[in-house]
Amino acid sequence: MHQAGFTEAVASLGTSLTADQCRLASSYVDEAVLAYARERGLMAPEDFGTMSHWYSRTPQSFLDKMKPDFIPQANGSYNERSGLVWDIRQEKWLDAYWKLTQAEVDTYFGGMPRVFHTIGLGERVCYKDRAQNHAFKLYANRRIIDKLREHYPQVPLLIGSWDFISSWSPAEVRSFVRTLDPKNTVILDYTSDIWDNDDNFQNWDLVGKFPWIYGIFHAYEASNEIRGNYANIRQRFPKAAEDPMCKGVVFWPEMSHGDPLMIDYFPSIGWDPSVYEINDYLPGFCRRRYGARDAERRLGLWRRFLPLAEASRWGTQVGNGYKYSPVREFYPDVYFNLHGWFYGDDAKYAAQHSEYYVFEEKTLGPLVTNAVDTLNALAREDFTKLDAMTRRDFIDIARTTLARMIELQMARIGRTYGEYVFGGEADAVRRELAKTRALGQALTQVLGSSDEFSLNAALADMRRHRTNPDFEKTLKGNAENIYCRSFIYELAKEIYEPAFAAFSRWAEGRLARGDRSRLNGTAAEQDKLFDAVREAFYAKPLAEMAPCPERALAELPEVLRRAAGALTGKEAGK
């Protein structure tokens, strides 16, 4: 069965899509890419089960014509009709899901899949009652697994850990594992670098008992800088390496422009677990990457910078529903998304942010010296004369360093403003605002030094092929949405900087008036400022925002030198 067969299978579900629309809407993998992988002995897991979630939305034509029933849902995530899960309690909708799976297997895998994958009801809360919700998730997983085994009794099944960390307790995961067949099932813990100490393989009754894979997710889309919870790996990886039931390692980053150190490091320790301590790994990394002549000098830079890369966290926002923790993610996208950061609608929200400010100060505050030293070391380089790979590494180091310090600054603004509310000095808030503006401007200039961070450059590259004349709007929307805002020059220049400047003016106006009221409840005021910035971004053509990498590269040493000065207070007031 080829592409036409896949189209027929989708059409048989009752959609009114044309053949061409079916090919575009239903193919989430590229046949050429999969053929390339097969030729090299690589496996592509076939996702199956309740696929109408997240990115695999139900087409509107299907909803209109077939009018599917849906499973219960008690939370607001993905609750648009296109994102709801068809009611697999009814055989007709379970069969409909399988029809999609079989069509894709026949089209892209020649009817011979090597491995299946599912996350079940990822991030869904079906019932408010926790016991009822857990029972339903066990039932739903059993339903889709039984359907798989009707057709492929022995093909291995990977069960991904995503839903485990977002809505299950360790005891609930253990109860699920007891229902699985270890002869043809593997637990894929690709989220084992989550900061939480409970939600990982160590507490799921896997070690020495059930087949599993150790893996790391690394970061969300916005966090595509250099990062890695190496302390976490140092503690957990040896247990995986020593467990005969651990079948391998998986690196699953949600990003395109990835982390050069982690990309080199993590696959390497999977093949050779003997050198997993990152400080022992760095010398070999630098020798391979920069050659014998420059290795020692580059090693010094990486050692200085490494604590900043390690000062990263990712995980669920405040626990996964069965507990609360004030220790949340470390994201550079706090600066990328000001909506909601400095205000809240209730005292509980404000209290949680206060806890986070303290946590960030404790973690990132001691690293200011590392940041200053790293920026000054980079400022001594002539970026125009570096080879392409070294230049790319150094730009990545620079943007990561600035992101960590901006993250610290966001916490310091929140802390000093909170102190101002209770009688603290207005000038303390002003100093932190000024310092953050300076670092944000430096980040924009760093991103402008490479076309890799330019939307306009990406658009120009795509236009070498056939693209919709209005695709610029789509590209802007794909980049600017709350989830995907990241290290993009045009966003930094036209949204992040202007939004922060607008907030600063608004906050300084309150300081000037002596207004010591809380920021709670100021959402509408602040969002009006940010919405105006977004509207201006969409109204301006990307071509008018484009960076000039040649000029930015030449100016980069001075930009980094000024940023280091801002951190020490020498430039922040300018």
Side-chain angles (χ1 to χ4, degrees), residues 427-443:
D427 282 346
V429 183
R430 293 188 178 103
R431 284 193 294 271
E432 303 305 342
L433 290 169
K435 188 182 292 188
T436 310
R437 280 198 300 272
L439 295 176
Q441 290 164 359
L443 178 62

Side-chain angles (χ1 to χ4, degrees), residues 170 195-204 236 322-323:
W195 56 259
D196 190 283
N197 283 324
D198 295 325
D199 300 322
N200 64 78
F201 69 90
Q202 300 173 102
N203 299 305
W204 295 340
R236 296 177 190 173
Y322 70 93
K323 61 182 177 181

Side-chain angles (χ1 to χ4, degrees), residues 51-72:
M51 292 180 288
S52 54
H53 66 281
W54 291 350
Y55 315 119
S56 306
R57 295 302 183 99
T58 304
Q60 186 61 44
S61 56
F62 185 93
L63 294 171
D64 292 342
K65 185 169 185 177
M66 300 301 291
K67 298 179 173 54
D69 298 317
F70 302 109
I71 65 169

